[in-house]
């Protein structure tokens, strides 16, 4: 009777759509995220969010930008916790986010594109963040945390802030027109002279 050999393989089960690109920071200006002692392009980051209630092993997943969509591959020990966040700094991924606009791609181990975001011209220290199915710029970027809305002020916002309902009315200017009439004084007659008798001689 021949011997049999048992081969056991371990498969990583996951829902590719459960992990999404949650926020990116293309133009850091205020915070030294990588704690290098300076704030520069190395503080740029890409944040992922696990929408599932179980952890997802990111071994073999890839992340990249428009020019190199699969530039960075996650290590075998990379895990994103249930409903958790995982942020990858430039100093780790070497993915440079273009300030004039770029794309960020996320691939699963099979090479399937599971998420992709596109952003336009960036704003200093603002995150391009996911809110539901839409993205918008926020002045309150959240590293490894739920996104917070803090919109970029527009020119209209600045005007409306200046002219609030509680602000006093601006001074009114009134134009008053004066009509000038020229007058002439007439000397009254001298009645004493008129009463003198005429010289008839």
């Amino acid at each position: 009777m021949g011997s049999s050999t048992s081969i056991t393989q371990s498969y990583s089960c996951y829902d590719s759509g459960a992990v999404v690109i949650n926020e990116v920071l293309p133009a850091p200006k205020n915070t030294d995220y990588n704690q290098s002692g300076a704030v520069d392009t190395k503080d740029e980051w890409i944040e992922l969010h696990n929408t599932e209630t179980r952890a997802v092993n990111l071994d073999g997943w890839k992340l990249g930008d428009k020019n190199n969509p699969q530039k960075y591959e996650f290590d075998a020990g990379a895990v994103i916790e249930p409903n958790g966040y995982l942020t990858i700094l430039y100093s780790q991924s070497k993915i440079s986010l273009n300030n004039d606009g770029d794309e960020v791609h996320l691939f699963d181990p099979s090479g399937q594109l599971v998420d992709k975001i596109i952003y336009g011209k960036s704003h200093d220290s603002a995150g391009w963040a996911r809110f539901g199915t839409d993205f918008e710029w926020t002045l309150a970027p959240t590293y490894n945390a739920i996104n917070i809305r803090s919109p970029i002020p527009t020119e209209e916002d600045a005007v409306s802030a200046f002219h609030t309902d509680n602000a006093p009315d601006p001074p009114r200017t009134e134009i008053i027109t004066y009509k000038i009439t020229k007058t002439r004084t007439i000397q009254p007659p001298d009645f004493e002279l008129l009463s003198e008798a005429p010289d008839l001689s």
Side-chain angles (χ1 to χ4, degrees), residues 27-180:
K29 296 294 181 182
N30 299 329
T31 305
D32 181 15
Y33 289 100
N34 68 351
Q35 299 181 353
S36 66
V39 179
D40 52 29
T41 56
K42 294 182 178 64
D43 292 295
E44 295 176 4
W45 48 259
I46 301 169
E47 180 189 70
L48 304 182
H49 174 47
N50 179 9
T51 63
E52 282 202 345
T53 56
R54 59 189 177 87
V56 175
N57 186 342
L58 295 177
D59 181 19
W61 289 60
K62 295 182 177 66
L63 197 60
D65 58 6
K66 183 177 181 179
N67 293 330
N68 194 343
Q70 299 189 41
K71 183 171 186 175
Y72 173 74
E73 182 172 346
F74 288 88
D75 297 331
V79 173
I80 184 167
E81 298 300 326
N83 298 311
Y85 301 87
L86 180 65
T87 304
I88 303 93
L89 286 158
Y90 168 86
S91 52
Q92 178 183 357
S93 68
K94 301 299 185 289
I95 297 173
S96 180
L97 301 175
N98 193 328
N99 289 352
D100 291 328
D102 209 338
E103 300 176 4
V104 180
H105 303 248
L106 178 65
F107 294 85
D108 70 10
S110 70
Q112 177 183 348
L113 178 66
V114 297
D115 199 13
K116 170 185 173 181
I117 68 167
I118 301 173
Y119 66 87
K121 186 175 179 60
S122 64
H123 301 267
D124 288 353
S125 299
W128 183 241
R130 180 186 296 272
F131 295 97
T133 57
D134 298 322
F135 274 79
E136 62 187 68
W137 291 108
T138 174
L139 287 175
T142 51
Y143 186 95
N144 273 351
I146 189 170
N147 295 337
I148 298 175
R149 273 194 170 94
S150 181
I152 306 292
T154 64
E155 290 184 7
E156 292 180 359
D157 294 333
V159 171
S160 63
F162 181 76
H163 298 289
T164 62
D165 293 338
N166 297 325
D169 293 333
R172 296 190 307 173
T173 301
E174 294 185 0
I175 299 176
I176 302 175
T177 304
Y178 294 92
K179 184 176 181 180
I180 300 175

Side-chain angles (χ1 to χ4, degrees), residues 170-192:
R172 296 190 307 173
T173 301
E174 294 185 0
I175 299 176
I176 302 175
T177 304
Y178 294 92
K179 184 176 181 180
I180 300 175
T181 304
K182 295 179 68 175
T183 61
R184 184 177 62 179
T185 302
I186 300 175
Q187 186 69 30
D190 189 340
F191 290 101
E192 290 184 358

